[in-house]
Amino acid sequence: MKKDVLQRNNVRIFGKGEQAMIFAHGFGCDQTMWRFITPAFEESYRIILFDYVGAGKSDISSYNTERYSSLQGYALDILEICETLELTNAIFVGHSVSSMIGVLAAVERPEYFNNIIMVGPSPCYINGESYVGGFERADIEGLIETMERNYIGWANFLAPTIMGRKDKPELSQELTESFCSTDPVIAHQFAKATFFSDNRKDLAKLKIPALILQCSEDIIAPLEVGNFLHQQLPRSTLRVMKATGHCPHMSEPDETISLIKEYLEC
Amino acid sequence: MINYLDIAPCGYFSFTDNGALQEVNSTLCLLLSYSREDLIGNKIDSILTLPSRIFFQTHLFPLLKMQGHAEEIFITLLTKNKTQLPILLNASNQPAQGNNCYTCAFITVHNRKKFEDELITAKKEAERALHENTALQAVKQELQKHAKELDEQLGLVNKINGELRQINRAVSHELQEPLRKISFFTQILKDSPHAGTDPNFNINIERVLRSTARLRAVIFGLQQFMWLQDAPVAYIEINTLSLLKDAVKKLNEEFGPAIMELSIGELPAIWGDQQQLELLFYHALSNCIKFRKEEKAYISITGTIIEKNHFRMIPDKYEYREFLRLDIRDKGMGFDPRYKDQAFELFRRLQVIIESTGIGLALCKKITEKHRGFITIDSRQHEGTTLSIMLPVRHPEKI
């Protein structure tokens, strides 16, 4: 089991510190997206990187449509990694949807975590009555369509998915070498699980402290959402960043690093 | 050269790390009905449709940042008049213009898009058919395999159940009767005129009486355990808090009104068997009392609704359902957490104290599992124990 989970999720561990810092990538990417951030923490922490099943260099044959139909399945990936590595008091850093996946994991097993750092989080993307999520259902369907079209362009994605990739190892090889490449069916399901999720009711259950890193002008997680989260999360700190867009850890790594350090050191 | 690029039959623009447009050519302005001044310095988001903005943020930007280039990316631009313009885009990082500058060239793909639409529809149809067929075959095979396994398991379970019933009968009658006699005659001995002649006599008699009382408690626990084996779960909607209070009342009658100090959080209603759940709460709390460190047991109970996969035995089956997780924390003696997996075993006593029979937690586990729930325990020696009971919130057949 131990080796299986670490291999399945392509877990990489490095760094000189004792306390674990587990970085979870967002939708559409893999663990390499953290490469501008982790060097700043290597000295003082034990860095844990992984890919969700279906992303990056994870074991695609472990993908299970039922399991990953909900963010709960992705939270299970995290819990199984924590269990395998026997983590306690870990710092969880999640980008985008991984912030909520982290909340689900920490609500179920609070003992694994010390606190959660959320980069561009949103508990619900779709607008509701008296709630601004930023999107309508049609926008998300449009996104899925855009994704599908891009898979046509990337010829290797034409291969039938999930089932029977073992007979063509060279295909998966090619697949894993391109960054942010995911099997289209898996990406499609992840998009649905992400953008149709509503975790607002789970926020009050989070017992551990959280840092919300809110970008300026983030169309995926607008400022209203950051404020809402701050209001609903019992022990949260909200920091509005100068960085714009949805990926401050890539566009403004220095600001991201210094805000995380400030939070951890106080 | 720059003039050629300006009027070239392809759109051209560049943007920085923060998404601000730096340069745009005339072809792009014409296609989008904007003037150059409208666009320079604005965010790239302003010329993308909403879905394309998400795609840009979640895919294209990370791709450029990590790989330095991206080819044949399909996105949709938004013109000033809010019409959509499907394009195919190539983008690359231009170190000459600073590390955080990306140049992009694109062509419009109106006609290709129509062709692709048809292709996608056909591909989806084929995939769906393939998937359904493969899924159906797999389900059929699984079903056959499970039917066979189920049949074997049922046979085994029946046999074990039969044996258990015999043991149960033996426990109830064959042990109960001699025990009753031992107590009876010991009592006679105690009351007899010979009592008191030897100072050790009374002490030994008391020992026999204590041991028989303990044996009776063990037999009673075993009977409850056996009863639970066969008892069906009579589902009704349970007011969790009031049922918990019933259990507390019983414990107060047994151990005294000041035996525990309780703090109870908000507890939602769940579906379950009233009698069994009361027994569960009774034993869970009774454990906190028996293993208390001080005069009083200090207990806190909190309830959280979580979602969990409810399949436990079949691998690769997932369905997430709501569970109420009751965390019952005490500040009692605790035990070495290395032994937490053994805590639920029948007659496994991690702390040997006279009141403990080694049945309480085994009963808790049995009742929880009969309700298709999960139970875990965590403890620190001398600090306290947390018993986490996860029970399904809804009636299993009414979901």
Side-chain angles (χ1 to χ4, degrees), chain A residues 67 108 149-150 205 217, chain B residues 43 74 117 305 318 320:
Chain A
R67 173 172 164 129
E108 186 161 343
R149 264 176 213 291
N150 279 302
K205 300 175 198 166
E217 299 172 48
Chain B
K43 286 290 155 71
F74 172 90
D117 280 339
I305 301 277
Y318 291 87
Y320 302 101

Side-chain angles (χ1 to χ4, degrees), chain A residues 30-263:
Chain A
D30 66 22
Q31 58 176 275
T32 55
M33 76 187 315
W34 295 109
R35 72 170 188 225
F36 304 114
I37 303 294
T38 49
F41 296 95
E42 274 180 52
E43 278 301 314
S44 329
Y45 297 93
R46 180 175 169 223
I47 309 287
I48 297 167
L49 293 175
F50 72 96
D51 297 327
Y52 289 114
V53 169
K57 291 183 180 164
S58 66
D59 172 19
I60 209 163
S61 67
S62 300
Y63 191 80
N64 177 315
T65 318
E66 283 179 11
R67 173 172 164 129
Y68 298 102
S69 63
S70 142
L71 295 186
Q72 291 290 350
Y74 293 93
L76 261 180
D77 274 13
I78 293 172
L79 291 176
E80 285 166 4
I81 292 169
C82 291
E83 192 187 345
T84 309
L85 297 176
E86 298 178 355
L87 298 186
T88 49
N89 292 323
I91 298 160
F92 181 89
V93 186
H95 173 234
S96 193
V97 66
S98 271
S99 308
M100 285 308 121
I101 296 173
V103 168
L104 293 175
V107 165
E108 186 161 343
R109 301 299 295 269
E111 65 271 26
Y112 289 148
F113 308 100
N114 206 38
N115 41 25
I116 295 192
I117 292 165
M118 307 175 166
V119 183
S122 172
C124 179
Y125 296 90
I126 309 236
N127 298 327
E129 269 179 60
S130 72
Y131 172 80
V132 180
F135 301 99
E136 299 296 336
R137 282 192 93 83
D139 299 326
I140 305 305
E141 274 146 22
L143 167 72
I144 289 167
E145 196 205 314
T146 306
M147 284 166 53
E148 273 169 354
R149 264 176 213 291
N150 279 302
Y151 292 128
I152 288 199
W154 301 344
N156 19 354
F157 291 113
L158 275 171
T161 55
I162 307 179
M163 308 159 256
R165 176 148 290 147
K166 283 170 192 149
D167 55 338
K168 284 184 182 168
E170 74 281 0
L171 202 68
S172 358
Q173 190 59 32
E174 209 174 311
L175 203 74
T176 48
E177 270 164 19
S178 124
F179 172 75
C180 289
S181 58
T182 331
D183 180 292
V185 172
I186 295 177
H188 184 159
Q189 219 196 348
F190 196 7
K192 276 185 163 169
T194 299
F195 289 105
F196 294 138
S197 65
D198 183 354
N199 297 102
R200 286 176 289 174
K201 65 184 189 317
D202 298 305
L203 300 173
K205 300 175 198 166
L206 187 73
K207 300 284 185 280
I208 59 173
L211 168 66
I212 302 162
L213 291 179
Q214 170 69 45
C215 293
S216 306
E217 299 172 48
D218 181 354
I219 57 133
I220 295 188
L223 186 62
E224 291 95 325
V225 170
N227 287 332
F228 175 84
L229 270 169
H230 180 42
Q231 195 184 44
Q232 301 282 318
L233 283 170
R235 299 169 68 189
S236 64
T237 308
L238 173 70
R239 296 299 299 266
V240 179
M241 301 181 69
K242 288 191 204 83
T244 57
H246 188 57
C247 302
H249 54 311
M250 286 193 259
S251 62
E252 297 289 344
D254 293 341
E255 191 192 8
T256 311
I257 289 165
S258 70
L259 286 174
I260 294 179
K261 281 196 167 166
E262 234 180 271
Y263 176 73

Side-chain angles (χ1 to χ4, degrees), chain B residues 15 59-70 91-93 102:
Chain B
F15 66 91
H59 289 77
L60 185 52
F61 181 67
L63 195 63
L64 279 173
K65 200 68 201 169
M66 293 291 123
Q67 207 169 261
H69 59 92
S92 69
N93 190 347
Y102 307 90

Side-chain angles (χ1 to χ4, degrees), chain B residues 342-369:
Chain B
Q342 303 168 10
F344 297 106
E345 289 174 17
L346 204 55
F347 298 125
R348 174 76 70 178
R349 290 193 292 160
L350 298 177
Q351 293 275 20
V352 179
I353 55 162
I354 192 76
E355 289 138 307
S356 154
T357 54
I359 291 174
L361 281 180
L363 280 173
C364 290
K365 186 175 162 75
K366 183 145 208 96
I367 296 170
T368 307
E369 287 181 350

